[in-house]
Amino acid sequence: MAATTTTEPAEQGFVTVPGDRRSEVARTLAEPVPQALSLLDQFGLWGNLGVSLLGFTGAIFVLQPGGAGTHELSLAAALTAIVVGTVLGTLPVALAGLPGVRTGAPAMVLLRGLFGARLSYLPTVLNIAQCVGWGVFELVTIATAAHTVAPALPKAGYVLIAGAATALLTIRPLGAIRILRKYAAGAVLVVLCYLFVQLIRHPLPGLTHGTWSGYWAATDTVVAVAISWAPLVADYTRHSRSQRAAFAGVLAGYSVTQVFCYVIGLLALVTVAHNNPDHIYGAFIALPTGALGFAILAARELDQAFANVYSTAVSTQNLRPLWDRRILAGVIAAATTAGALWLNIADYENFLTLIGSVFVPMSAVLVTDYFVVSRGRWDLSAAARSRWLMLLPWAAGFVTYQLVNPGYVSWWASAWTSFGQDIGFTPASWMSASILSFAVASAVTMAGGLLHRWRGPASLSRRLPRVAGTVGRAPCACRLLPATI
């Protein structure tokens, strides 16, 4: 590895090293951060992550936003919801990745700057829970898809194979990303184009046949899928060679392929699957050479499992910076494999709704505080003071989300509906939980920042000199500021 040098983007965080193609992620947070990923590497990674077998089946929640068997959106409304939801969900993800490039810090360590070191443990634990959940979902999905193609081996066998492959990918994560860019991305694009052409040849319902009622609920479902990557994105963008590579790779790579994925799932539903998501996989396989294409997609799904397991390990290092990420990843891969053997994904939509309600407002607070209020002046050290008031905009956004879209768990939805009635609030059909939640969290963050500047300490903090700090035991050049807000 090249000699350790502090680069401009690392002024506020870890020591970063312009890495060559052989650079790899260090074992702990107490070691330099290689910045070795190009624009094409990031585009390949996020382009692959934008495609998911869960996205194909998840299209049912766009077509029927009220739940299976309810009224259907028109094709025009569903397609619009897919595009709008993807862009609205991916833009905050791309923005949330930029602090990672500038500081070299992984996603959960960045939250030390937002909430303080100890308070960052709360979102860290939530993120670990969501990553493990997604990891379980992905292994179940891979096993289901593989069993559909080759039923000779039971699903449990495919779960074990996928779990082992996931663990191996996490040993050299940057190498895995380059492999995805070189080999998987091209094959996936070919398969997606083939499926699209085959499905578009079937008779389609009229673009306006259906309703726009429930449009924003459908949009929120798509937003939730994209925004779920916000608490992970800096784990990968921190290894980018430039901010441009990180931002463009995430925004363009993920948006294009997620839209493609959802559109294909939607077309399959309204044509050969007859609105039954359980028949989508079979519909793909029934196409000429469809089994081969579907097998490629099933194998490619390993990148989703890899990303969730690796980010769980890196998130855990916010709690224990000197723990070896390789050992952590192995333990986590084993745990998700065990979960995939015993759990099911019947509550997928409810899981997505809950993720959205937690991480949409948190992303708004992060982006607003970093770029507007604090202007990048974050203390990322293990001694960062708690910023308790930053929980207020996060909570305000979460409550807003639940009042507009509480999901479909009966007791949870009833409780929030009852609370809304008690305060005289009834959500209108045009309301988007994601947009309103993001706006409220951002506005409250801005208001808190303005109040704090009016009181004076912010102007003092801008005059403080830069001093050396540590993240775990890693050398960094953080600004050690008093807690702001």
Side-chain angles (χ1 to χ4, degrees), residues 19-40:
D20 58 28
R21 305 297 289 180
R22 297 166 294 180
S23 299
E24 258 305 337
V25 181
R27 294 174 300 169
T28 71
L29 295 188
E31 301 172 49
V33 181
Q35 293 189 311
L37 297 180
S38 66
L39 171 61
L40 287 178

Side-chain angles (χ1 to χ4, degrees), residues 313-328:
V314 177
S315 296
T316 304
Q317 286 184 316
N318 184 43
L319 310 177
R320 293 292 184 269
L322 298 183
W323 284 7
D324 192 317
R325 63 160 179 88
R326 299 171 302 176
I327 298 175
L328 283 171

